[in-house]
Amino acid sequence: MKKSEFKEKIDELLDTNVDNLTQNEKFSMIRQRIVEFEKNTSYDSSNKGKSWSDDELRVILKTSPTKENCMLLAKAFRRGYGSIEQIFRWAAEDQTTIDRTRPDDIFIKQIKKIAKEIGWRAT
C-alpha cells in the first residue's frame, strides 16, 4: 500500500460517523487505540531493568499519569510501559502501606523522595 492510499483510508475513517460520537470523542478514541496498539508493538526498551536517575523520576512525576503520557515516557526513556505506570502507583501509594508491605525497597524510597521534593499529589 502506498502512503497516499493509507492517508486516504485514514481520512475516510475519520470522516465516518460513529454511534453519534462528536469529533473530539472520535479523536480521543483514536488516541486511546494508538496507545493500546503501541503498547503491544515492540519498541526500543533497551534501558529496561536499569536503575532510574532522580532526574528521570522528576520528569515522570511532573507529567500527568495518562496512558498516552505513559507510552510517551516509556519510549523516551526506552523502558517498559508498565514500569512508568508502576512509578505513578508507588508515588501515589500511602506511606503506611509501603512501610507494611515493602519497607526496605530502595527504589520506592527514591520515588517517594522525588515525589515529596516536587510536591507531587495523587488523586
Side-chain angles (χ1 to χ4, degrees):
M1 176 183 289
K2 294 181 179 180
K3 285 182 186 180
S4 60
E5 293 171 328
F6 184 70
K7 288 178 184 179
E8 285 176 22
K9 286 188 181 266
I10 291 173
D11 289 345
E12 286 175 28
L13 191 58
L14 291 171
D15 284 336
T16 304
N17 287 327
V18 181
D19 293 333
N20 299 319
L21 292 180
T22 67
Q23 196 74 342
N24 285 339
E25 291 169 330
K26 276 197 304 189
F27 291 150
S28 178
M29 181 184 279
I30 290 167
R31 282 190 293 275
Q32 289 173 10
R33 291 302 309 144
I34 289 171
V35 169
E36 289 301 317
F37 187 83
E38 283 183 311
K39 279 172 50 177
N40 297 316
T41 305
S42 63
Y43 58 90
D44 181 6
S45 58
S46 56
N47 287 331
K48 193 173 186 174
K50 294 181 181 176
S51 297
W52 289 86
S53 72
D54 287 353
D55 287 335
E56 289 171 323
L57 293 174
R58 273 186 204 93
V59 169
I60 291 168
L61 294 176
K62 286 184 177 184
T63 307
S64 46
T66 64
K67 288 181 179 182
E68 195 171 352
N69 286 343
C70 287
M71 191 71 242
L72 178 74
L73 291 164
K75 285 180 159 186
F77 291 121
R78 297 184 313 240
R79 306 284 188 151
Y81 177 89
S83 64
I84 306 297
E85 283 186 323
Q86 190 62 55
I87 289 168
F88 285 122
R89 280 192 213 104
W90 278 326
E93 190 68 50
D94 183 61
Q95 189 61 47
T96 57
T97 304
I98 291 172
D99 290 342
R100 188 176 64 244
T101 58
R102 300 182 80 156
D104 299 325
D105 193 307
I106 294 168
F107 184 48
I108 295 174
K109 287 180 181 180
Q110 181 186 11
I111 292 168
K112 293 303 257 181
K113 178 189 82 162
I114 299 299
K116 183 178 179 180
E117 174 186 303
I118 65 172
W120 200 79
R121 297 288 183 257
T123 56

